[in-house]
Amino acid sequence: KNNKTISLGSFLSPPQMTKHGNDIRLIYTDGKACENRKFGTQTRLTLKCKPGHLESPPILRSVSSDKCVYELEWYTAAACVLSKTQGDNCKVEDTQAGFSFDLSPLTKPEGSVYNITRGGYDYYINVCGSVKAASCPEKAGACQVEKSSWSLGKVNSRLSYYDGLIQLTYSNGSQYNNANHTLRSTLISFLCDPEAGPGSPEFQVEDNYTYNFRWYTSYACPQRPHECLVTDPTTLDQYDLSSFLIVSSASSLSRSTSAENWLAMDLTDNLNLKKYYINICRPIVPVPGCDRDASVCEMKYIIDKVRIDLFFTLFSVSVSVTLLT
């Protein structure tokens, strides 16, 4: 305040789980010296799991009368237990963090594949789709070709996700020429690179009867929310627009993958009805056809004997959203 700073503590000890519940406690110590106390100023931060919230701010709960102990709470998905999730149709969600991933745009249509040449072999790969190239066996998601061809696993569209890594496994491929006639398999690991666009596969190693590929792509990058905190420059009051009540996920303005988008209808012209999908401070929950980066998506709405949504125009431009209290 008034261009003067005070240390409220330093990071000198690791975070600990609380004795009760599944919260995480982080204590900063040895801050500004405190009169009548043996220790310096402390900040005690309690982090609580709140799925879908990675940009929500901490909350100052209390300050001791001598201003030597500051208590804060932080509701965040970063305090949730990491879990491995799986998803079908070439999609997977991290429900704790509120991320969703869709790798279906990487699927090549029939007759088109990803091709890699390594060690005298040609590798043909598709994502969540079969390979129909060269003499690859039917229903193969990946195959290896020299003079002959071998299936490196049957196609499927089931993805797994854990801590930023998306993986696709093809199994039950052609047999190895060994005593056990082990079936070949393929493991493709998708990693986030915002600048890579679709990217392409890279052969890594054949290990334990499995062909391993690495794939850097922007489609493995989460659509991260933005900070939704507003500070009044005069009073220093803060407003978190991501939710009405920080303790209630049901009232969140910022919708994660486990919730539905906000909807609005424009009924002013019966011949040109419009429907809007809206999210606050983050991209909309995925809607087929909408731009994955859009926070507002507009569609033309047609009512017939059967109600149909037809996408008219999709955009991710600057949109003004006014919140009224």
Side-chain angles (χ1 to χ4, degrees), residues 95-310:
T95 55
Q96 294 282 37
F99 296 150
S100 64
F101 305 90
D102 182 1
L103 300 187
S104 61
L106 297 177
T107 303
K108 290 281 192 178
E110 290 190 15
S112 181
V113 295
Y114 298 95
N115 176 228
I116 304 170
T117 300
R118 182 76 177 270
Y121 293 98
D122 284 320
Y123 295 93
Y124 297 96
I125 299 175
N126 205 349
V127 178
C128 302
S130 60
V131 171
K132 296 186 178 180
S135 55
C136 291
E138 188 178 358
K139 296 183 179 180
C143 81
Q144 182 187 45
V145 177
E146 191 189 31
K147 294 180 180 179
S148 301
S149 61
W150 299 270
S151 169
L152 303 185
K154 292 183 179 179
V155 64
N156 73 85
S157 60
R158 189 164 182 79
L159 301 178
S160 66
Y161 174 84
Y162 180 78
D163 197 21
L165 180 66
I166 304 172
Q167 292 186 316
L168 173 63
T169 301
Y170 296 143
S171 55
N172 298 322
S174 299
Q175 295 180 353
Y176 272 91
N177 189 24
N178 62 2
N180 296 324
H181 300 294
T182 308
L183 300 181
R184 290 171 167 84
S185 63
T186 293
L187 176 63
I188 308 174
S189 299
F190 297 91
L191 301 167
C192 169
D193 182 350
E195 307 299 325
S200 59
E202 304 171 14
F203 179 81
Q204 289 186 285
V205 67
E206 178 188 355
D207 179 52
N208 196 27
Y209 311 110
T210 299
Y211 294 78
N212 293 272
F213 296 86
R214 179 176 58 194
W215 196 319
Y216 286 98
T217 173
S218 62
Y219 288 101
C221 298
Q223 300 299 293
R224 296 186 68 88
H226 297 282
E227 184 173 321
C228 221
L229 185 70
V230 179
T231 303
D232 186 318
T234 303
T235 65
L236 299 183
D237 288 337
Q238 292 184 318
Y239 305 88
D240 179 13
L241 300 184
S242 65
S243 61
F244 293 122
L245 296 173
I246 195 70
V247 296
S248 174
S249 59
S251 62
S252 178
L253 285 175
S254 184
R255 295 298 177 91
S256 63
T257 56
S258 59
E260 295 183 353
N261 294 299
W262 295 103
L263 300 178
M265 294 291 297
D266 181 358
L267 307 177
T268 55
D269 184 352
N270 290 333
L271 299 178
N272 188 26
L273 302 178
K274 295 179 181 178
K275 183 177 182 179
Y276 298 90
Y277 292 92
I278 304 171
N279 207 348
I280 303 298
C281 298
R282 66 186 303 158
I284 57 173
V285 179
V287 175
C290 283
D291 189 294
R292 67 194 296 262
D293 295 317
S295 291
V296 181
C297 178
E298 177 192 85
M299 66 171 62
K300 187 174 182 179
Y301 196 77
I302 298 177
I303 299 179
D304 205 339
K305 292 181 180 179
V306 179
R307 191 170 64 183
I308 306 173
D309 286 350
L310 293 180

Side-chain angles (χ1 to χ4, degrees), residues 7-9 28-34 37-43 68-69:
S7 171
L8 302 184
Y28 297 131
T29 55
D30 288 354
K32 178 189 175 184
C34 285
R37 287 189 186 251
K38 294 182 180 180
F39 58 83
T41 302
Q42 290 187 357
T43 296
C68 287
V69 179

Side-chain angles (χ1 to χ4, degrees), residues 7-18:
S7 171
L8 302 184
S10 300
F11 175 60
L12 299 176
S13 57
Q16 302 286 336
M17 297 296 295
T18 56

Side-chain angles (χ1 to χ4, degrees), residues 14-36:
Q16 302 286 336
M17 297 296 295
T18 56
K19 293 182 179 180
H20 304 287
N22 295 316
D23 298 337
I24 300 171
R25 197 76 184 272
L26 184 59
I27 300 178
Y28 297 131
T29 55
D30 288 354
K32 178 189 175 184
C34 285
E35 295 182 7
N36 302 322

